[in-house]
């Protein structure tokens, strides 16, 4: 897969899955711009991309804010000259049972995870469509294919990403632009690990966080082991190169979902 001469953007690229995707795109030859709510970690990933001999840039953005997203895309076009590949990866997790869930919890998760993908995709398409080329990869989740307890609002936001992706893929299908959803399975970032992550919160009596992490991999995933940011990067590179794959929601989850 050759992405030489292409310019990519990864939102939430400062750490975790976004960072893994950014590095994979760079290794495949793309120049990769990094956007994140946290400008410092965006700079760290941008420096790693540059060490591979690719062009990069670090940009601060809040994907839930329309003005911030518009500014981001303007800045990227000014800095890089074009935008060929966009990975809308920024997202947040919030763990609450439906009984505990507040209206603010619902709004925050939907606004970052679902509206954020809409705002970014819309601004990216405005640049890609006139050029007749584009690859949009929206990061959903296995929770966008199957509901998880304590994650009803998160699942709703990730189901929304898949529906939105499939719909806009059809709107732009004849214009050289593909739009797909990438659905990570279980990846040991801060969303899963630590006392505040899912492994910490979903501990059984007497279990350590590490035990819980092991158990969830073994019981949830047919392959019995977690995926990595690098696994997500491999699919992102494929989707960035593929011409006739569009409107899909592809899971990298070791056999968990359909
Ligand atoms: P993470 O928490 O390690 O990284 C998320 C990144 O997004 C951070 O750099 C954060 O600063 C940034 N971000 C958060 N809110 C933002 C905003 N409003 N504007 C701009 N940037 C923002 O999480 P991780 O695990 O790397 O997740 C990345 C994506 O993958 C998310 O969309 C998540 O929902 C999804 N995912 C993760 C899974 C996992 O097992 N870790 C499984 C399935 C999906």
């Amino acid at each position: 897969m050759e992405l030489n001469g292409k310019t990519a953007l990864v939102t939430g690229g400062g750490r975790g899955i976004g960072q893994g995707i950014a590095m994979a795109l760079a290794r495949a030859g793309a120049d990769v711009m990094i956007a994140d709510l946290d400008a410092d970690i965006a700079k760290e990933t941008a420096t790693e991309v540059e060490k591979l001999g690719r062009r990069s840039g670090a940009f601060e953005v809040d994907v839930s804010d329309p003005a911030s997203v518009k500014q981001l895309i303007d800045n990227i076009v000014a800095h890089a000259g074009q935008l060929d590949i966009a990975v809308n990866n920024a997202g947040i997790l919030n763990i609450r049972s439906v009984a505990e869930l507040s209206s603010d919890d619902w709004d925050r998760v939907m606004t970052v995870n679902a509206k954020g993908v809409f705002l970014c995709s819309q601004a990216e398409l405005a640049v890609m469509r006139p050029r007749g080329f584009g690859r949009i990869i929206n990061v959903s989740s296995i929770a966008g294919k199957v509901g998880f307890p304590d994650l009803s609002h998160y699942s709703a936001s990730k189901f929304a990403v898949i529906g939105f992706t499939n719909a806009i893929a059809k709107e732009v299908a004849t214009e050289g632009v593909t739009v797909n959803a990438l659905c990570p399975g279980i990846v040991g970032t801060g969303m899963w690990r630590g006392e505040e992550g899912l492994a910490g919160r979903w501990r059984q009596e007497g279990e350590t966080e590490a035990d819980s992490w092991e158990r969830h991999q073994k019981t949830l995933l047919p392959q019995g082991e977690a995926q990595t940011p690098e696994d997500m990067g491999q699919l992102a590179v494929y989707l960035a190169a593929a011409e006739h794959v569009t409107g899909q929601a592809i899971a990298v989850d070791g056999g968990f979902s359909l």
Side-chain angles (χ1 to χ4, degrees), residues 11-18 35-38 41 61-64 89-92 108 112-113 139-142 154 158 183-192:
T11 70
R15 67 175 187 229
I17 290 173
D36 206 290
L37 195 57
D38 181 335
I41 62 173
V61 70
D62 178 352
V63 298
S64 67
N89 160 79
I92 56 171
R108 186 69 198 139
V112 175
N113 294 359
V139 176
S140 175
S141 170
I142 49 171
Y154 180 81
K158 295 298 188 177
C183 303
I186 292 185
V187 185
T189 65
M191 287 201 179
W192 265 95

Side-chain angles (χ1 to χ4, degrees), residues 8 11 18 68 75 89 93 122 139 152 194 202 210 216 221 232 252:
T11 70
S68 177
N75 289 345
N89 160 79
L93 182 76
Q122 186 183 53
V139 176
S152 59
W202 284 348
H216 279 98
L221 300 173
M232 306 309 143
V252 182

Side-chain angles (χ1 to χ4, degrees), residues 7 101 105 107 119-120 135 145 154 172 202 215 228 231 254:
T7 298
L101 191 57
D105 291 329
D107 286 347
L119 292 172
C120 290
R135 300 284 181 266
K145 290 179 170 244
Y154 180 81
V172 301
W202 284 348
R215 176 173 56 81
T228 63
D231 293 327

Side-chain angles (χ1 to χ4, degrees), residues 107-118:
D107 286 347
R108 186 69 198 139
V109 166
M110 291 300 283
T111 304
V112 175
N113 294 359
K115 185 175 158 188
V117 164
F118 148 59

